Each structure stands twice: as structure tokens, then as C-alpha cells.
Amino acid sequence: MTPTSEEELSEIIAGSNGPLRVKGGGTRPIGKTDGAELSLAGMSGITLYEPGALTIVAKAGTPISEIEAELTKENQRLAFEPMDHRALLGSKGEPTIGGVVSANVSGPRRISVGACRDFMLGIRMVDGSGNIVKNGGRVMKNVTGYDLVKLMTGAYGTLGVLTEVSMKVLPDVAAQAMLVLDGLDDTQAVAAMSAALSSPYEVTGVAHDPQTAKTLFRLEGFPDSIAYRAEALTKHLAKFGAAETIDDTENVKMAWADIRDVRGFAGQDGDVWRISTKPSDAPGLVTKIGAKVVQYDWGGGLIWALTDTGRDIRPALNSFDGHATLIRGDAAPTFHPEPAPLAAISAGLRDKFDPRGILNPGMMG
């Protein structure tokens, strides 16, 4: 089923007598759900773009590449740099803006500008009863009703099917550079990343690769500003070693695209876990996991782990301040079990927005 309008989508959902599996571009097959495929590919296109107001509105099935191409013409960007899962998951197709919003997909720059959810202004959707719902606004000056907008961002299509999204964009940067520290162990790397993030030098990315023992710090802006901040940050991090500065913008962009998309795991056998936690806890959790390969992002707040196939790592982690999501594999439920009070709230919301339980059933449980 590939509706081309909200009205057609509403009729499909209202008339459905079984579960529906909502699909955007098909590049993020995360989570386990059954049902007839409901594709948003027929609902595509940018419906409003106001560069002066830093806002863009697009139908849910619009490819990210189309949105980014339009933004580039005006020297603007999606500042939260959404991850492209195709290399990691071996998937095909084109990532869509609806899929990005549904999964709250956010890249390395999340630590400095916020997540996808923080850029959302408004949504249009069809709920599980076939009702067409609008919430929020199309530009920043008249936004109302943020709550549902933020609730739908990251709901994985379980509360309603997005048909249109409105979001804030930001100006692009003139240049990028990065500092590289070599030879740090995981604990030292987290300490160095925390030192950089607490500095006044506007670091927009911090990551660590234990395999190469390289710790990376990204700086963005005008060339003169980057040069000053790189020199100052080098001195600030001197106790961790002598940092190398790489100021070739294109090479820096490619390096951070690799980090964003976790391309180092591509083509390797095993399950892939995404663990969110306090940076200070990260090295200890990695020791407990016993992963084959690990990547730290968000200053240590995000751990990517490649583990043996079929092993649930959650028992080894015990109770910790965070959550572990199974991105690739069948070893366990995809999403981390919620505490009972939060699970009750989640179930109540799903019952309200999708009383028949037909939208991506089983996705979150």
C-alpha cells in the first residue's frame, strides 16, 4: 500500500483489519514488527522552504538527499547531521525525513546543537483510528503545541504515521578541522573528551576509536576562528599528549561521516548494540560487554559495540544509568526494557493514539 495523500492514508488505516508495518525508505529495518507494508514513498516533496526563517517543511517520504540538496543551495544544513544506517545494516533505498524523525536519528553534532527532536517545529500525522492530526507550526514564529511534536519524534511509528514534518535548519559552516590525540586508553580518552567539551572552544564532535587508539575533536566555523581555537584546545589538552591538527575540510567531513554512520562495523559479522550512558561509566561498561569492536561517540555518552551473534549483553551490563538498543541482530528485544512506571505511560499513550494496536505492533516491546 502506497498512499499519495493524507486522505488516502486515513482511509487505509481506518479500514485496516490487521497490523500495518510502516515503511519510509526502508534503510532502517530496526525493531521487530509484522503486518502489511504501508509505504510513505508516495508522499514526497518539499512543501515550504523559507531560508530567511530557517525553516523547511517536507512530506514524510521525502529523501534526505533531496532536502540536503535544497538546503545546500542556501548554504544551510540539518545541523543534527542524521546518521545513514545503510552501511551498518547493509540496507538499500533512500533515507527519508519521516524515517529520521520517527527514530529521532541524530549524529555526532548532537552534543553541541541537540538531537533531531530539538529541531522539530510541527507535524502532520494519521493516528491508529484514521484521524488526521496537526500539531505545532510551520515556522518558528507561530509554533504552538510542541508536546505532541516531540512525542512523535522517536516513537517509531507506533503512535501515528507521519505525513509531514516542519523543522528548524541552521546555516552551514565555512570550514572544519579536527585535533587528533594518539595512544590514549579508553579511560584517558573519555577524560580528554570531557575536558574538550567543558572548554570554551566550541567543540562540535568528540569520538574515540579503541582499535586505532585515536581520539578525535572536531571544530567548525570560520578559518581564523578555527585556527585560534585549535591552538588553544591543543594547549588545553596538552596533559593528554601532543595533538595533531588536520585542517583539510573535505577530509575532516569524510572522517566524521565514517564516525556518524559507524562504517567501521560495515561488513563485519556480529550483532550491533547502541548504548547510551554517562561518559564516565562508558569504559567500565565496555569491559563488561566483551565486544569484538567498539566505537565511542558523544564524548563517551554513546557506545557502539559489535558483539558475537546471538548474545544478549544486557545481563552483563546489570543495572546501569542508560539503555542498550539492539540495532542489528536477534539476540534480544530491540529496545531496552522500560521501568514499570514508564512502561505504563508508554502503553497508555499507545492505547490512546492507536487503540487497535495496528501500527508497527511489537516494535517497542
Side-chain angles (χ1 to χ4, degrees), residues 128-356:
S129 298
N131 299 309
I132 297 173
V133 180
K134 173 188 174 184
N135 189 251
R138 291 165 68 89
V139 293
M140 285 184 283
K141 63 185 178 183
N142 65 356
V143 171
T144 58
Y146 269 122
D147 291 348
L148 182 55
V149 174
K150 294 185 181 296
L151 186 64
M152 285 294 295
T153 307
Y156 285 85
T158 60
L159 302 179
V161 180
L162 289 171
T163 60
E164 183 182 85
V165 300
S166 171
M167 55 178 41
K168 178 174 64 175
V169 299
L170 290 180
D172 204 350
V173 294
Q176 297 185 16
M178 69 178 177
L179 271 58
V180 182
L181 284 173
D182 199 5
L184 302 183
D185 63 27
D186 291 11
T187 301
Q188 292 170 329
V190 168
M193 291 189 288
S194 296
L197 288 172
S198 62
S199 76
Y201 305 121
E202 299 177 17
V203 179
T204 66
V206 279
H208 175 66
D209 180 3
Q211 289 65 242
T212 61
K214 292 188 181 297
T215 311
L216 311 179
F217 309 83
R218 181 174 59 186
L219 299 170
E220 298 178 301
F222 294 107
D224 288 348
S225 171
I226 289 177
Y228 165 77
R229 286 182 286 135
E231 181 179 357
L233 185 59
T234 298
K235 295 177 181 177
H236 186 72
L237 298 174
K239 66 179 180 180
F240 298 101
E244 174 191 5
T245 300
I246 299 173
D247 57 8
D248 184 303
T249 295
E250 290 308 310
N251 284 338
V252 173
K253 285 183 178 179
M254 288 189 290
W256 283 92
D258 288 345
I259 293 168
R260 180 196 68 194
D261 299 339
V262 199
R263 292 176 186 167
F265 290 13
Q268 296 196 54
D269 293 334
D271 293 346
V272 175
W273 292 83
R274 181 183 184 276
I275 304 159
S276 295
T277 187
K278 294 189 300 184
S280 57
D281 291 345
L285 294 177
V286 166
T287 300
K288 292 179 179 179
I289 294 168
K292 297 194 291 185
V293 187
V294 166
Q295 174 182 296
Y296 294 86
D297 199 352
W298 299 354
L302 174 61
I303 305 166
W304 289 97
L306 180 69
T307 65
D308 292 331
T309 301
R311 183 170 71 89
D312 185 355
I313 67 170
R314 291 179 185 132
L317 293 173
N318 295 317
S319 177
F320 74 103
D321 188 6
H323 56 268
T325 304
L326 181 57
I327 298 296
R328 189 182 80 194
D330 299 308
T334 300
F335 297 97
H336 203 91
E338 294 177 323
L342 183 57
I345 293 173
S346 297
L349 286 169
R350 289 195 292 272
D351 185 60
K352 178 68 175 179
F353 286 95
D354 181 22
R356 294 179 293 162

Side-chain angles (χ1 to χ4, degrees), residues 17-35:
N17 57 7
L20 298 171
R21 178 166 53 89
V22 185
K23 178 182 177 182
T27 65
R28 297 183 179 87
I30 299 169
K32 304 173 183 65
T33 187
D34 296 314

